Amino acid sequence: MSILILEAFYGGSHKQLVDLLQEELEDSVLYTLPAKKWHWRARTSALYFSQNIPTSEHYRILFASSVLNLTELAALRPDLGKLKKILYFHENQLVYPVKKCQERDFQYGYNQILSCLVADVVVFNSVFNMESFLTSIGKFMKLIPDHRPKDLESIIRPKCQVIYFPIRFPDVSRFMPKHKAAHLQKILSLKENGGNAPSTALPFQQQLRGSENLLKSFDSKSGPCDAAQQESLGCSVRQASYLKTFNSSDDSSTHHGEHKQNRCDILAEADDQQRPLHIVWPHRWLEAVYCGCYPLCPKDLVYPEIFPAEYLYSTPEQLSKRLQNFCKRPDITRKHLYKGEMAPFSWAALHGKFRSLLTAEPREDL
C-alpha cells in the first residue's frame, strides 16, 4: 500500500472523506480512531498511531486531517516523516469559536501550526478556511509571552491550496418534482465548451440507469401522479392517500376532451399553495440544496464563497422578513430553481485533483 491515510477523528465529514478516498483510490490503507473525546484525539493520537502502524517500505504518501499532530508523528516515526505528508483542514482551531478562551486551548491551534510547518502540502476545504487560518497566525502567536517565532504565515502559505470537500451525490430525482429533477441534472453537468474540467453528466446518467429498476417498480405502483408524490419524502404518504381519493372520485372528468389538463399538475399547484413551509437546519448545506432545498445563509464565513448573493442575508431582520415572505408564499421556494453551481463540489469534478495530490513525488530518500 503506497498511500497511508490516517484519521484521528473517524466520524462525520472526516469519515466521509477518508472512506471515499480509500474506496476510490487504489493502493491505500486506512488507520483510524473513534470520533469521540476530540481534545484527547488531538493531543494523543500521534503517539497511538506511532505504535500501531506497521513499518512498510511501500508507503509513499501520508494523508491526515489536521486533528493529528503531524509533528509528533514524524518525530516518533522517522520512516513516516520521510513520506510526502498531506494535511487536510476540515476546520481550523485559530478561529474556531469557544465558549470561554483559556490558556490550555492555545495548544490546539499551536499544534496545527506546527503540523503545517512539517507538512509538504496543506489542503483546505475552502478559501475562507485557508485565509482565516493563515491571516490569524500572527495574532495567535502574540499570545506567547515572549520569544515569539516570526514569519510563519509566509513559510506556510506557499504549501497551501484549496480542494473543496468532495461529495458523491446520489440519485434523488425520484423524490423531486420534475422541474427540479431536470434542473438538477442540468446544473450537475459541467460545461464542455472547451473547459478543462471533466463532465459530471456521465456519472449522473449512470446513477439514473443504476436505479432504473427501482424507479420502474415505483412507477408501476404509484399511478399517474408521481410528480405530486415526489415533492418531498415527508409528505409522500399523506399525498398518496389524497391521490387515491382524488382518482376514485374524479375518473369521469378525464373523459371530457376540452378538460384534459394533467390532474397531477392541478394537484401539485394546489398543494404548493396549501402545504406549509418546511424549514430545516442542515449541517450539510452542499447536500440540502442538491435535494431541492432553498438556501438562506448569512453573508459571512464561507457562505458567500459557495452561494450566490440572492441566497444570503446580512442581518437578523433580513432573515426574519424573508422567512415571513416564504411562509406566506411557500410555493415560491417550491418552484424556485437554484441558480448556483453544484458540479464543482462533486467527486466527479474533484477526483482528478485528489488523484494528483496523492501522487508521490520522486525523492532520493524514498
Side-chain angles (χ1 to χ4, degrees):
M1 298 296 182
S2 65
I3 303 175
L4 175 62
I5 303 175
L6 304 182
E7 182 48 69
F9 197 77
Y10 187 58
S13 60
H14 291 237
K15 180 180 185 299
Q16 186 177 340
L17 175 61
V18 295
D19 282 352
L20 178 61
L21 293 180
Q22 188 186 31
E23 181 179 341
E24 296 286 346
L25 301 175
E26 306 82 7
D27 204 25
S28 64
V29 61
L30 172 64
Y31 290 90
T32 68
L33 282 169
K36 59 181 181 179
K37 301 185 184 299
W38 178 89
H39 293 87
W40 285 104
R41 296 287 182 260
R43 199 65 198 92
T44 65
S45 60
L47 179 57
Y48 172 84
F49 283 134
S50 72
Q51 294 182 336
N52 287 275
I53 298 175
T55 302
S56 173
E57 61 182 14
H58 299 295
Y59 295 144
R60 293 293 182 269
I61 303 286
L62 192 160
F63 180 95
S65 74
S66 60
V67 176
L68 174 70
N69 189 319
L70 194 57
T71 306
E72 291 179 348
L73 181 64
L76 292 168
R77 286 286 300 271
D79 59 317
L80 301 182
K82 294 189 301 181
L83 307 180
K84 177 184 177 182
K85 298 173 291 299
I86 302 168
L87 196 67
Y88 192 89
F89 275 76
H90 293 263
E91 66 284 313
N92 77 79
Q93 293 302 308
L94 301 194
V95 296
Y96 202 84
V98 294
K99 292 182 179 180
K100 182 181 179 181
C101 186
Q102 304 181 62
E103 285 190 9
R104 66 184 182 188
D105 294 325
F106 176 83
Q107 63 178 310
Y108 303 112
Y110 183 68
N111 288 347
Q112 288 189 332
I113 293 174
L114 290 179
S115 293
C116 288
L117 292 171
V118 171
D120 297 295
V121 183
V122 183
V123 184
F124 293 85
N125 62 354
S126 69
V127 174
F128 169 81
N129 195 14
M130 180 178 72
E131 289 300 327
S132 64
F133 178 81
L134 292 173
T135 57
S136 297
I137 291 176
K139 180 181 178 181
F140 183 81
M141 298 305 287
K142 289 182 180 179
L143 295 173
I144 302 176
D146 54 14
H147 301 287
R148 301 173 187 134
K150 299 178 181 179
D151 302 322
L152 297 184
E153 178 185 348
S154 62
I155 296 173
I156 295 173
R157 183 176 284 275
K159 304 179 179 184
C160 297
Q161 59 178 282
V162 173
I163 303 182
Y164 287 110
F165 187 92
I167 302 171
R168 188 161 50 188
F169 291 113
D171 174 25
V172 295
S173 58
R174 62 184 293 237
F175 304 120
M176 302 175 70
K178 291 181 179 178
H179 71 288
K180 287 198 174 185
H183 183 66
L184 176 65
Q185 181 176 354
K186 180 180 179 180
I187 62 177
L188 275 180
S189 300
L190 293 177
K191 295 181 180 179
E192 298 183 15
N193 54 351
N196 54 13
S199 172
T200 60
L202 180 58
F204 185 86
Q205 291 295 341
Q206 291 172 340
Q207 289 173 348
L208 290 180
R209 287 195 294 269
S211 61
E212 190 175 75
N213 292 333
L214 184 61
L215 286 172
K216 287 181 179 177
S217 174
F218 181 82
D219 290 341
S220 65
K221 299 176 183 178
S222 300
C225 294
D226 294 294
Q229 289 181 340
Q230 294 172 7
E231 176 63 35
S232 72
L233 283 172
C235 66
S236 60
V237 175
R238 174 178 61 81
Q239 283 188 260
S241 176
Y242 182 42
L243 286 171
K244 184 177 181 180
T245 304
F246 180 85
N247 286 336
S248 62
S249 64
D250 196 46
D251 283 342
S252 61
S253 65
T254 61
H255 298 292
H256 299 285
E258 66 274 17
H259 299 291
K260 287 186 178 179
Q261 183 176 3
N262 190 304
R263 288 180 297 171
C264 291
D265 294 338
I266 298 174
L267 180 58
E269 184 176 351
D271 200 55
D272 280 344
Q273 296 289 346
Q274 296 174 8
R275 283 193 296 115
L277 179 71
H278 292 156
I279 302 175
V280 298
W281 188 274
H283 290 279
R284 298 287 175 260
W285 290 85
L286 309 163
E287 288 93 331
V289 173
Y290 171 81
C291 291
C293 290
Y294 182 105
L296 192 54
C297 313
K299 193 176 182 179
D300 197 9
L301 304 175
V302 73
Y303 300 111
E305 185 179 339
I306 300 176
F307 298 110
E310 69 176 274
Y311 302 109
L312 307 177
Y313 64 86
S314 299
T315 66
E317 291 74 21
Q318 289 181 359
L319 172 61
S320 178
K321 184 176 180 180
R322 296 192 68 177
L323 287 176
Q324 288 180 34
N325 291 335
F326 288 151
C327 288
K328 294 176 182 177
R329 289 288 308 279
D331 59 301
I332 294 177
T333 58
R334 294 195 176 102
K335 294 177 180 178
H336 180 79
L337 298 178
Y338 180 61
K339 298 180 182 178
E341 297 185 9
M342 272 188 234
F345 305 99
S346 69
W347 172 249
L350 293 169
H351 78 277
K353 292 184 177 181
F354 276 96
R355 288 184 182 277
S356 297
L357 180 70
L358 296 170
T359 299
E361 298 173 356
R363 288 171 51 177
E364 294 181 358
D365 54 355
L366 289 182

